[in-house]
Amino acid sequence: MKVIIDRFEGRATVCEKEDRSMIEIPRIVTPEDAKEGDVLIIENGDIIIDHEATEKRRKEIGEITKSLWK
């Protein structure tokens, strides 16, 4: 499953799933270097940052933002 980190709340990492629903993951199992907007892969109890998907998403958002200000 892939999720996007929406925010951190206390001991929880609040993430948005692909179906737009929200889930909370204990912050202690979230990768230490994870930031808001990062794409996480949750598989077999492991949670890793999908750096490629995160960078692609950041670029897409950047392009959308640029087009709004033109």
Side-chain angles (χ1 to χ4, degrees), residues 9-66:
E9 285 187 358
R11 296 181 181 190
T13 303
V14 181
C15 300
E16 182 178 342
K17 294 171 41 176
E18 292 176 284
D19 67 1
R20 316 270 303 163
S21 64
M22 304 300 274
I23 62 167
E24 288 186 5
I25 300 168
R27 197 164 185 177
I28 196 161
V29 299
T30 303
E32 205 172 288
D33 57 338
K35 304 176 289 304
E36 291 177 358
D38 282 352
V39 178
L40 302 179
I41 299 173
I42 304 171
E43 192 171 88
N44 299 324
D46 293 323
I47 302 175
I48 60 168
I49 299 171
D50 185 336
H51 294 284
E52 187 176 310
T54 297
E55 186 58 32
K56 180 181 176 191
R57 185 174 178 280
R58 287 190 205 286
K59 284 181 182 178
E60 289 171 353
I61 291 170
E63 291 300 317
I64 291 169
T65 303
K66 271 202 263 185

